[in-house]
Amino acid sequence: MESEELTLWIQASAIVVAVVASIVALFISWRDRVNARLIASEDRRAALQQAKLMFDLEALLRLLENQNRGGSTDDLERAQLGAETMALVGLIGEDRLPILWKRRIGYDDAGLRAKLTTAESETPTHMKHTIETQLALNEVVREIYAAVNRK
């Protein structure tokens, strides 16, 4: 072999090694990006779950304060406390507050939708507005749970 031929083989080998190293680097980079996406996804899910728990904690604390007041002799304040209690129970949900839910809300989504179609004498308009709001609230809570449980 001549010196030129040896030089050509060395250069060709160097090119092959460089191409293989580039392919290996691309593969490692791709796997690193996939791993980073998985970690970021899990971090987002965990952050959303923590935010949901903190929100539930604040709502439960507010509900507990409301419940511990023991009522009021003022009709307006009693109505406000009752409305706030019902809203908080509706927000927190049947899973965490089954007894209060049954007492304050008492219907699943299908039952609430059925009340929306009843006559005005049976379910007044202001109650239908409340029911519609509760249904929207239930949907948002379901979306939050779906986002928390998404992998």
Side-chain angles (χ1 to χ4, degrees):
M1 254 197 205
E2 287 183 28
S3 170
E4 284 182 25
E5 229 177 81
L6 183 60
T7 303
L8 287 175
W9 276 106
I10 291 172
Q11 287 175 347
S13 298
I15 290 172
V16 169
V17 168
V19 168
V20 169
S22 295
I23 291 170
V24 168
L26 286 172
F27 177 76
I28 290 170
S29 174
W30 170 73
R31 288 299 308 154
D32 187 48
R33 281 194 305 273
V34 167
N35 191 40
R37 282 190 201 120
L38 288 172
I39 291 169
S41 175
E42 182 60 28
D43 285 350
R44 283 190 300 274
R45 191 189 69 72
L48 186 57
Q49 187 174 31
Q50 288 297 318
K52 171 74 171 91
L53 285 172
M54 292 306 295
F55 184 79
D56 284 353
L57 180 67
E58 289 176 28
L60 285 164
L61 179 60
R62 181 71 186 145
L63 180 61
L64 185 60
E65 289 173 1
N66 195 328
Q67 296 290 313
N68 283 333
R69 285 191 183 133
S72 174
T73 57
D74 180 22
D75 289 341
L76 179 60
E77 185 178 6
R78 189 171 45 244
Q80 288 173 337
L81 289 172
E84 183 179 14
T85 296
M86 190 166 183
L88 288 168
V89 169
L91 173 66
I92 295 164
E94 185 177 14
D95 293 343
R96 292 201 189 267
L97 300 169
I99 296 169
L100 276 174
W101 175 273
K102 186 165 180 69
R103 182 169 175 255
R104 293 288 183 160
I105 309 294
Y107 297 96
D108 61 4
D109 283 2
L112 290 172
R113 281 191 188 87
K115 289 196 77 65
L116 285 175
T117 61
T118 60
E120 174 73 24
S121 60
E122 190 175 327
T123 307
T125 301
H126 75 278
M127 283 303 296
K128 288 182 180 185
H129 293 165
T130 301
I131 291 168
E132 184 178 35
T133 304
Q134 181 65 51
L135 287 168
L137 179 69
N138 293 350
E139 182 62 30
V140 168
V141 169
R142 273 192 298 279
E143 287 177 24
I144 290 170
Y145 281 133
V148 166
N149 294 325
R150 195 175 304 138
K151 296 264 177 177

